[in-house]
């Protein structure tokens, strides 16, 4: 039952979150910092009340370990959102982040000395190829759309390339954080709610470095078109409504993922998150009419084919079918 609830939270929360994030980014591309801060503050407040009982409950995992994890988590979250300032389209942003399997495998080989089967290496080749296709086609669009002159085109391309570099760094940092989190859970046990709280509470002082940017966007949000909210019966700037809905759906999404990690195998978690990303991508393309060429579709299909191959979903399906056939014969 918990698994069904977790999967529902992931799909409903994460897909809705993408919609509200894109509504925010479309009007204010540089609003990533205020969005990240609002998400962290909300989840930290909820965790402080319900998980730590207003700070009276001691953590099962030492704070020093959480500090290391939090530094990586904060860096990944800020860089991923800030990359949207560099002409990174939302669909490309989602596709690029789907390459987490590549980063996990590379760091797993280097740090944990892991070895993988041939199918795993093939899947990584497919994911890499798919991301390359999408990235290359997006690079062509940037140079054509932004380049009124040759000099402006070069500047736009370099600006976009910096965003790609940021996404790459965040991808590797996220994989490193996953490996560190895995070793902590093996040593101290899984404490998903506690980790959710500390990962969002401890980084809050770091937002002081971004306070000017956050304040400026708060002012811009307050100047947006007001809409009347039925519950309170008062007009509220539309961007604040979008931000509130983004924060709530982000909480639902991340809570679902954390529950899923404690209830299911890593295979199931990866498959669910992958399918969620694919659905979010489709929603982003169709609802917001983002530019997406046939080559982008090819690249997307290759990415998700490689991901499904990595999770060995095909062999799991074959095993399940064989099991059903054997049961029928036994009957």
């Amino acid at each position: 039952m918990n698994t069904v609830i977790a999967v529902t939270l992931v799909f409903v929360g994460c897909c809705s979150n993408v919609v509200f994030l894109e509504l925010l980014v479309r009007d204010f591309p540089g609003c990533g910092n205020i969005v990240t801060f609002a998400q962290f503050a909300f989840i930290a407040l909820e965790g402080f009340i319900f998980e730590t009982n207003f700070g009276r409950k001691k953590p099962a995992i030492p704070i020093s370990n959480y500090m290391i994890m939090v530094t990586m988590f904060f860096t990944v979250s800020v860089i991923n959102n800030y990359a949207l300032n560099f002409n990174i389209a939302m669909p490309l942003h989602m596709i690029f982040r789907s390459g987490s399997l590549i980063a996990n495998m590379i760091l797993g080989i280097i740090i944990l000395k892991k070895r993988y089967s041939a199918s795993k290496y093939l899947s990584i080749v497919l994911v890499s190829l798919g991301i390359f296709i999408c990235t290359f086609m997006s690079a062509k669009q940037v140079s054509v759309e932004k380049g009124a002159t040759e000099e402006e085109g070069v500047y736009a391309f370099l600006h976009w390339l910096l965003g790609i570099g940021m996404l790459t760094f965040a991808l590797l940092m996220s994989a490193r954080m996953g490996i560190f989190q895995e070793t902590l859970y093996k040593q101290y046990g899984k404490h998903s709610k506690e980790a959710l709280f500390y990962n969002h509470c401890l980084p809050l002082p770091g937002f002081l470095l971004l306070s000017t940017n956050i304040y400026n966007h708060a002012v811009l949000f307050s100047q947006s078109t007001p809409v009347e909210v039925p519950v309170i019966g008062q007009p509220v700037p539309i961007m604040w409504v979008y931000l509130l809905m983004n924060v709530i759906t982000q909480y639902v999404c991340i809570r679902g993922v954390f529950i899923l990690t404690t209830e299911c195998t890593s295979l199931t978690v990866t498959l669910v998150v992958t399918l969620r990303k694919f659905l979010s991508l489709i929603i982003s393309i169709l609802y917001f009419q983002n530019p997406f060429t046939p080559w982008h579709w090819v690249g997307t299909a290759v990415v998700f084919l490689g991901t499904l191959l990595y999770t060995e979903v095909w062999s799991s399906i074959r095993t399940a079918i064989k099991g059903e056939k054997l049961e029928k014969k036994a009957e």
Side-chain angles (χ1 to χ4, degrees):
M1 187 63 182
N2 286 340
T3 303
V4 175
I5 294 172
V7 171
T8 304
L9 291 176
V10 170
F11 275 94
V12 173
C14 297
C15 292
S16 302
N17 179 259
V18 168
V19 172
F20 289 110
L21 178 59
E22 185 138 6
L23 287 170
L24 289 164
V25 170
R26 285 220 153 191
D27 288 339
F28 299 100
C31 69
N33 291 330
I34 191 173
V35 171
T36 308
F37 171 70
Q39 292 172 353
F40 275 52
F42 178 84
I43 294 174
L45 179 62
E46 189 273 343
F48 180 72
I49 297 171
F50 297 104
E51 171 58 24
T52 69
N53 192 19
F54 296 94
R56 288 193 285 265
K57 179 183 175 183
K58 292 183 178 180
I61 299 175
I63 292 292
S64 58
N65 287 320
Y66 274 125
M67 289 298 295
I68 298 172
M69 191 194 306
V70 158
T71 301
M72 292 187 281
F73 185 67
F74 176 77
T75 304
V76 168
S77 298
V78 171
I79 289 179
N80 271 327
N81 283 328
Y82 200 69
L84 294 169
N85 294 0
F86 294 83
N87 299 332
I88 302 294
M90 204 65 183
L92 178 62
H93 192 272
M94 286 185 280
I95 293 167
F96 209 92
R97 292 177 70 178
S98 297
S100 55
L101 289 175
I102 307 171
N104 285 332
M105 177 175 276
I106 292 172
L107 294 188
I109 293 171
I110 296 173
I111 298 172
L112 301 178
K113 309 300 181 184
K114 288 185 176 181
R115 291 295 177 264
Y116 300 92
S117 63
S119 64
K120 289 284 195 294
Y121 288 114
L122 176 60
S123 69
I124 292 305
V125 171
L126 289 173
V127 172
S128 303
L129 178 62
I131 290 177
F132 173 79
I133 292 171
C134 291
T135 306
F136 180 74
M137 296 310 298
S138 295
K140 289 179 66 176
Q141 287 181 348
V142 168
S143 60
V144 171
E145 292 175 2
K146 302 295 181 180
T149 66
E150 185 177 345
E151 185 176 341
E152 289 174 349
V154 171
Y155 174 79
F157 176 74
L158 292 176
H159 193 66
W160 172 86
L161 204 60
L162 182 59
I164 293 295
M166 293 172 70
L167 287 179
T168 303
F169 176 80
L171 200 64
L172 292 170
M173 179 68 78
S174 179
R176 182 64 186 90
M177 182 183 72
I179 291 174
F180 181 73
Q181 192 169 356
E182 185 180 332
T183 57
L184 284 184
Y185 283 166
K186 284 181 180 178
Q187 184 176 355
Y188 298 100
K190 291 185 176 181
H191 303 277
S192 62
K193 291 182 180 179
E194 179 183 291
L196 182 64
F197 166 69
Y198 283 105
N199 276 345
H200 289 81
C201 177
L202 294 178
L204 287 177
F207 285 101
L208 290 172
L209 300 173
L210 310 169
S211 57
T212 302
N213 180 272
I214 293 172
Y215 174 77
N216 290 339
H217 279 90
V219 172
L220 291 173
F221 280 16
S222 299
Q223 295 171 351
S224 62
T225 306
V227 293
E228 189 167 329
V229 179
V231 179
I232 62 175
Q234 294 290 330
V236 177
I238 187 68
M239 298 307 290
W240 285 113
V241 176
Y242 289 157
L243 181 62
L244 175 62
M245 295 307 298
N246 175 269
V247 167
I248 293 172
T249 53
Q250 172 69 6
Y251 172 75
V252 172
C253 171
I254 200 167
R255 183 67 180 271
V257 172
F258 270 77
I259 294 173
L260 208 59
T261 57
T262 58
E263 295 290 333
C264 305
T265 62
S266 58
L267 167 64
T268 305
V269 175
T270 306
L271 181 59
V272 170
V273 172
T274 299
L275 293 175
R276 191 278 302 170
K277 287 178 180 178
F278 184 73
L279 184 57
S280 298
L281 180 65
I282 299 300
I283 292 172
S284 176
I285 294 163
L286 297 180
Y287 186 78
F288 293 99
Q289 297 181 343
N290 280 306
F292 218 68
T293 67
W295 277 108
H296 281 94
W297 282 111
V298 171
T300 303
V302 173
V303 168
F304 286 100
L305 176 63
T307 303
L308 292 176
L309 180 62
Y310 183 91
T311 57
E312 297 178 351
V313 67
W314 308 121
S315 59
S316 299
I317 292 172
R318 284 198 299 269
T319 303
I321 292 172
K322 285 180 180 178
E324 288 179 4
K325 288 181 177 178
L326 290 172
E327 287 177 6
K328 288 179 179 179
K329 285 181 180 179
E331 290 174 0

